[in-house]
Amino acid sequence: MKTRLVEAPFSETFIAQFVALSERIFQQSADRAWLDRLQWRLEKMPDVTIFVAEVDSEWIAYKAGYATHFNRYYSWLGGVAPSLRGKKIGKALMDQQHNWLQSSRFKSVETHVAQDNEAMVRLNLKSGLSIVGMFSKDGEPNFIMKKTF
Ligand SMILES: CC(C)(COP(=O)(O)OP(=O)(O)OC[C@H]1O[C@@H](n2cnc3c(N)ncnc32)[C@H](O)[C@@H]1OP(=O)(O)O)[C@@H](O)C(=O)NCCC(=O)NCCS
């Protein structure tokens, strides 16, 4: 497995790979609204960083986020291809993201996660994030989780 960090601007090929893997990870087709939001985030948000894991040039996992303030980062979206879960790939990408944040100007990373997403909540806890709040997203309870560097 190889991992790499990709930063803006993102090519059309890159975005197509991001969408294709997202559809595998979340097991649903990306609709127009989702694609529009993705495109907007990739083009407009500051310091977008996407850590990609590949095997033989095929994408198997990614972890994406962006800055919300000068020194605060939001870890937005991530996942591992379903057949490759439980092999520490999610943890490896999370570690890379945190190492990169620590070596840059960021002082904290924050993320939102559905409370019933046990795998992601546990991975976040294992990676040093704590639950600092809760909110409801589309009627679904979410945790706000944060780690300070
Ligand atoms: C969450 C996700 C990224 C974890 O990736 P992964 O590569 O399978 O996880 P890892 O093998 O690196 O696991 C690291 C730790 O996370 C926790 N974890 C991972 N999967 C878990 C599961 N199914 N149940 C409980 N804890 C889990 C464990 O603490 C694990 O450490 P351990 O094996 O020593 O106990 C993966 O399940 C996934 O892609 N889920 C769907 C996408 C998603 O929900 N993304 C988050 C919203 S954007």
Side-chain angles (χ1 to χ4, degrees):
M1 179 180 85
K2 281 188 190 161
T3 59
R4 61 191 169 108
L5 166 61
V6 186
E7 295 179 83
F10 301 101
S11 68
E12 280 184 25
T13 308
F14 180 90
I15 294 173
Q17 285 175 301
F18 189 98
V19 171
L21 180 57
S22 300
E23 289 180 328
R24 284 171 66 198
I25 290 170
F26 298 104
Q27 293 175 348
Q28 58 185 38
S29 301
D31 62 16
R32 188 72 256 159
W34 191 87
L35 291 170
D36 287 347
R37 289 200 298 271
L38 170 70
Q39 190 90 28
W40 182 87
R41 276 180 155 110
L42 295 182
E43 284 174 9
K44 308 285 188 195
M45 295 309 289
D47 299 301
V48 178
T49 50
I50 305 178
F51 292 85
V52 179
E54 294 168 317
V55 172
D56 297 333
S57 301
E58 187 197 346
W59 285 39
I60 57 163
Y62 68 72
K63 186 139 189 79
Y66 46 79
T68 53
H69 295 264
F70 175 71
N71 56 11
R72 286 167 57 184
Y73 184 87
Y74 179 68
S75 187
W76 156 51
L77 200 62
V80 177
S83 61
L84 295 169
R85 291 184 189 159
K87 297 177 185 293
K88 311 284 186 209
I89 297 169
K91 181 78 170 77
L93 286 181
M94 176 92 74
D95 289 346
Q96 290 202 0
Q97 185 195 60
H98 291 189
N99 288 340
W100 178 82
L101 289 167
Q102 274 180 297
S103 68
S104 51
R105 65 181 194 279
F106 292 96
K107 297 290 180 216
S108 67
V109 57
E110 185 175 309
T111 192
H112 299 163
V113 55
Q115 287 183 19
D116 63 2
N117 190 343
E118 188 183 350
M120 195 67 232
V121 172
R122 284 188 181 275
L123 173 54
N124 285 338
L125 290 170
K126 196 153 201 167
S127 304
L129 285 92
S130 311
I131 296 168
V132 295
M134 290 181 237
F135 71 105
S136 174
K137 183 180 174 188
D138 303 327
E140 191 183 2
N142 273 239
F143 288 128
I144 302 168
M145 302 187 73
K146 185 174 178 179
K147 177 177 178 175
T148 305
F149 300 111

